[in-house]
Amino acid sequence: MEILDKLINVALIAATLRTTAPILLVALGGSFTTKAGIFNIGLEGQMLAGAFFAVIGSIWTGSAFVGVACGVAAALAFALAFAVLVVTFRANEVVVGLALNILAGGMTISLMKAILGTRGSIVGHGIVGLPKVQIPGAQALLGSWAPLISGFTPIVYVAFIAVPLLVLFYNRTRLGLYIRVVGEKPEAAEALGISITRVRYIASLLCGLLAGLAGAHLSLGYITMFTENMSSGRGFMAVAILIFSNGDPLKVLAGCLLFGFADAFSLRLQTFGFPSYLVLTVPYVVALTALFALSYRARPRIIKETLASMQKLLSVDRNSAPVDKNPQ
Amino acid sequence: MSDRLRAFSGQIIAVGVALLLGAIIILLVGESPVHVLMTLLHGAFGDQEKIAGTLLQTTPILICGVAACIGLRGGMFNVGIEGQLFLGGFAAAWVGFSFSLPAGIHTLAALALAVVAGAAWVAIPAYFRARYNTNEVVSTILSNYIAVLLTSYFTIFLFKRPGGWSETPPILATAYLPEIFSFSRLNWGLVIGLLLAVGVALVFRYTSWGYDVTMVGSAPKFAEYGGVNVKRQGFVVLLLSGAVGGLAGGVETLGVHHRFMEGFAPGFGFDGLIAALLANGSPVATILTALFFGALRSGSLLLEVDTSASREIITVIQALIILSVSAQVLIKRRGDSQAGERRWKF
């Protein structure tokens, strides 16, 4: 029991929330593209570019928030390139996504050497990390449980607040509805006069925005440094989550908490003397297992359910909507 | 033929555009593109040793490229070649240092286990892809990370040479892939790669199995109506692709390093996939694209010494090439419905 107490405690849960935040943000970003019917394997690269340019921006301006803005801008540039190639030029999503990931990996290392003359990692150099937000009254309210809601960087709060916002976005806004229609019934969207191209561009850019924040959190919030390929597969784990959650924000949250926990737990195990190499595989093994276990079962049912609910929404939204002309 | 010629010239234009973009990036990094290009060329083809070095780099890229081609033909993205390469490399090394067998047989046994290891590593993603349509791109990418960590664990915690680096004991000389020339580590792996590329091309061209697989890859519905067991072919294709990926690792271990070490062949799996994509899934064309990437890699070694640019600039160039190729291939198919299916054709 004592070992269990040492392993699982408030600090571990707080660490879980911290490790969940970046993968949650990037997965929520990917939910836009998933819902819009794009398979976005390029999340990893967008995140990595975000992490790198956040650090560079932070060094150049001495402000963490300008750094975050730089990171987001870089991720947006990658997202735009993805959209131009995939949406406008109809290039294969997998090929473009993989190439952009490789581009991000090579570019960050090359620029690191060109700008700072170092290889491997950027530490120091005047990187300003994100401040931690202390929620007033948290200590009085929760006592020793206060670290669960207080003391995180702003991006962590953004990540968790984004979940309910996205639920509302998909269910209550016109753009959210359009994104879903474009993803699941492009023919219907076309018939309704929705520009598939425009919606997919918007979805890709929204995705870049969140992926950039996720990257910035990795390099300025989680720790204050940048290392080669520091996104280390989180973008791909996010894609795995997106596949079996179908981009639904609540399911995304559940999946991300699982991986965040696996991540935090494996770091904890390492301090107990388990071989680090095996421990580090834990998050990937969890992601793979979840992918295998969940992807085959739920897929057709989810599509059917969303189609049904969408039909309802469409008929409320536009009374003359020619949904019946496009029977499934 | 004119169609093929047009496609080929399209690829060349795309590579040109990518090189132009690469030149801009090199300028941004603060180097002269001409100087970088000359350094690359000199590093890749400067003298006979450098040419051999280029071919040495080409070998694993070629074999990994053939592995990717097999998958792509059957409509499967095996992005896990990197992981299969690591496991194959470790398996070959393990046979190499823990058994003593007659020369030649030892090499073959090590290569055989490398092949088995590569196939075994892809077996679970392949099974779930075939049976439940689980996305093979994501599952094989994730398994790469596990493969790299797992082989590191084997190496450092189970087989580490006392007092040595993070590497296994050296393999016995009986298991070496012999070198072709005395002045270079270039070995018979290159010949294996060339034979494999031609052999796989012939299989796809002249056997009914190859025809079935190509059909599964390009028109799965049609294949299914034609009586092809699409699921089984998908499984077999991924398994074969993984087997060749494992072979690439075995060749690298037995021919070049003569031991397995942590991070022994970074990026060859991805380079192979990119080479195969650039060759549009043709194993024979992959010989050329692999040579191109091998030259880039080998030239980049000198780049690091002679210029202030980092050698990763070549991965940027590779990525740009693929991006511009992927865009131009599909430009001519514009005009169909926006909702239409977007597929990479082979």
Side-chain angles (χ1 to χ4, degrees):
Chain A
M1 263 341 264
E2 201 179 318
I3 291 178
L4 214 62
D5 280 348
K6 265 190 200 158
L7 271 174
I8 299 172
N9 51 26
V10 176
L12 178 67
I13 302 175
T16 299
L17 295 181
R18 253 196 310 278
T19 48
T20 300
I23 195 169
L24 179 60
L25 272 172
V26 73
L28 289 176
S31 108
F32 291 116
T33 45
T34 305
K35 288 274 186 197
I38 304 171
F39 180 62
N40 191 350
I41 197 88
L43 291 174
E44 179 85 3
Q46 294 179 9
M47 200 175 176
L48 188 62
F52 177 74
F53 283 96
V55 160
I56 295 297
S58 163
I59 292 175
W60 277 351
T61 63
S63 154
F65 290 99
V66 178
V68 172
C70 290
V72 168
L76 279 175
F78 269 76
L80 184 64
F82 181 83
V84 168
L85 290 166
V86 166
V87 179
T88 303
F89 287 127
R90 311 273 188 84
N92 182 292
E93 298 140 318
V94 176
V95 175
V96 173
L98 287 176
L100 284 174
N101 290 339
I102 292 171
L103 182 68
M107 199 177 78
T108 49
I109 298 175
S110 300
L111 287 177
M112 196 196 306
K113 187 162 179 207
I115 297 173
L116 297 166
T118 53
R119 282 194 66 98
S121 55
I122 310 176
V123 198
H125 287 289
I127 307 177
V128 183
L130 283 163
K132 294 187 171 26
V133 178
Q134 300 297 340
I135 304 273
Q139 194 70 40
L141 198 68
L142 292 172
S144 63
W145 292 84
L148 293 188
I149 62 160
S150 177
F152 297 111
T153 57
I155 296 182
V156 177
Y157 296 104
V158 171
F160 286 94
I161 293 169
V163 176
L165 288 183
L166 251 68
V167 174
L168 290 176
F169 173 76
Y170 287 125
N171 292 319
R172 291 281 177 271
T173 69
R174 181 164 295 237
L175 181 61
L177 177 69
Y178 283 3
I179 287 181
R180 284 163 53 203
V181 180
V182 164
E184 305 204 11
K185 215 76 188 110
E187 299 85 359
E190 225 170 25
L192 287 172
I194 302 172
S195 164
I196 295 183
T197 306
R198 191 182 306 156
V199 169
R200 285 198 166 139
Y201 262 88
I202 293 172
S204 295
L205 290 177
L206 286 172
C207 170
L209 175 76
L210 292 191
L213 277 182
H217 176 65
L218 275 187
S219 59
L220 292 182
Y222 189 53
I223 35 175
T224 311
M225 66 185 289
F226 178 85
T227 49
E228 284 179 16
N229 299 320
M230 77 179 307
S231 43
S232 62
R234 284 187 184 83
F236 298 127
M237 288 187 206
V239 177
I241 294 173
L242 288 167
I243 286 174
F244 57 71
S245 68
N246 202 25
D248 293 338
L250 290 177
K251 289 179 188 157
V252 166
L253 174 65
C256 291
L257 281 171
L258 176 68
F259 293 140
F261 180 75
D263 216 346
F265 192 71
S266 69
L267 287 177
R268 187 59 61 95
L269 279 180
Q270 233 171 320
T271 62
F272 279 82
F274 285 88
S276 57
Y277 290 103
L278 285 187
V279 165
L280 287 175
T281 64
V282 170
Y284 305 107
V285 173
V286 169
L288 262 182
T289 314
L291 183 67
F292 290 145
L294 295 173
S295 70
Y296 71 95
R297 187 166 59 90
R299 193 103 205 201
R301 187 170 52 80
I302 286 179
I303 290 176
K304 232 176 274 168
E305 275 173 8
T306 358
L307 278 179
S309 69
M310 210 163 48
Q311 225 162 11
K312 227 184 296 166
L313 270 169
L314 268 175
S315 53
V316 173
D317 196 44
R318 301 188 167 205
N319 289 321
S320 59
V323 173
D324 299 334
K325 286 179 192 161
N326 295 290
Q328 278 99 63
Chain B
M1 198 61 205
S2 80
D3 237 22
R4 196 182 273 190
L5 203 67
R6 191 141 37 91
F8 185 67
S9 59
Q11 306 291 72
I12 298 287
I13 293 170
V15 170
V17 170
L19 289 179
L20 206 67
L21 287 174
I24 294 172
I25 291 192
I26 291 169
L27 279 176
L28 289 179
V29 171
E31 267 291 337
S32 140
V34 178
H35 180 51
V36 166
L37 180 69
M38 294 319 280
T39 312
L40 276 176
L41 277 176
H42 182 64
F45 301 110
D47 52 45
Q48 62 175 20
E49 278 167 50
K50 293 210 168 73
I51 294 174
T54 293
L55 294 176
L56 187 67
Q57 300 277 351
T58 302
T59 304
I61 301 177
L62 173 59
I63 302 178
C64 290
V66 174
C69 283
I70 297 174
L72 291 172
R73 270 302 172 100
M76 297 283 179
F77 275 96
N78 179 5
V79 196
I81 299 175
E82 188 83 0
Q84 293 136 28
L85 176 100
F86 270 74
L87 278 172
F90 180 82
W94 179 71
V95 174
F97 66 73
S98 21
F99 299 94
S100 55
L101 292 166
I105 294 175
H106 202 172
T107 310
L108 287 180
L111 287 180
L113 197 71
V115 166
V116 171
W121 190 244
V122 83
I124 298 176
Y127 174 77
F128 277 90
R129 171 66 169 98
R131 186 86 173 76
Y132 301 114
N133 209 19
T134 306
N135 188 296
E136 84 280 8
V137 178
V138 179
S139 61
T140 52
I141 287 182
L142 287 173
S143 60
N144 281 340
Y145 290 92
I146 302 174
V148 172
L149 289 165
L150 205 60
T151 50
S152 288
Y153 169 74
F154 288 154
T155 305
I156 290 167
F157 283 86
L158 302 182
F159 294 108
K160 189 167 168 299
R161 199 163 49 131
W165 300 91
S166 345
E167 59 187 33
T168 64
I171 62 175
L172 303 178
T174 45
Y176 285 12
L177 264 177
E179 282 156 7
I180 300 179
F181 306 112
S182 55
F183 57 81
S184 160
R185 287 184 299 169
L186 181 63
N187 55 73
W188 286 93
L190 179 66
V191 179
I192 295 180
L194 291 172
L195 290 177
L196 200 65
V198 175
V200 169
L202 291 177
V203 165
F204 277 130
R205 196 170 173 84
Y206 292 111
T207 67
S208 66
W209 178 82
Y211 180 74
D212 283 357
V213 165
T214 309
M215 197 158 61
V216 168
S218 53
K221 276 274 178 314
F222 179 65
E224 197 155 12
Y225 294 140
V228 180
N229 188 336
V230 172
K231 286 183 173 175
R232 190 172 63 206
Q233 295 296 17
F235 180 70
V236 171
V237 160
L238 266 182
L239 218 57
L240 284 176
S241 177
V244 175
L247 178 70
V251 165
E252 192 66 5
T253 301
L254 302 180
V256 183
H257 302 295
H258 299 155
R259 56 175 64 72
F260 184 88
M261 41 193 167
E262 214 188 350
F264 84 127
F268 282 129
F270 286 108
D271 281 12
L273 180 66
I274 298 181
L277 285 170
L278 186 58
N280 209 13
S282 150
V284 174
T286 302
I287 298 175
L288 288 180
T289 53
L291 181 65
F292 177 48
F293 288 161
L296 274 180
R297 262 197 187 238
S298 151
S300 74
L301 298 178
L302 196 61
L303 198 66
E304 196 101 316
V305 182
D306 274 13
T307 74
S308 66
S310 139
R311 67 170 175 274
E312 277 76 15
I313 202 87
I314 64 152
T315 62
V316 173
I317 294 173
Q318 284 174 331
L320 289 173
I321 290 172
I322 282 301
L323 288 176
S324 57
V325 168
S326 74
Q328 68 91 24
V329 163
L330 288 119
I331 284 176
K332 51 179 179 279
R333 299 208 300 122
R334 273 162 79 174
D336 14 296
S337 150
Q338 282 188 34
E341 209 185 345
R342 287 155 295 132
R343 274 185 69 96
W344 180 265
K345 287 283 179 210
F346 286 100

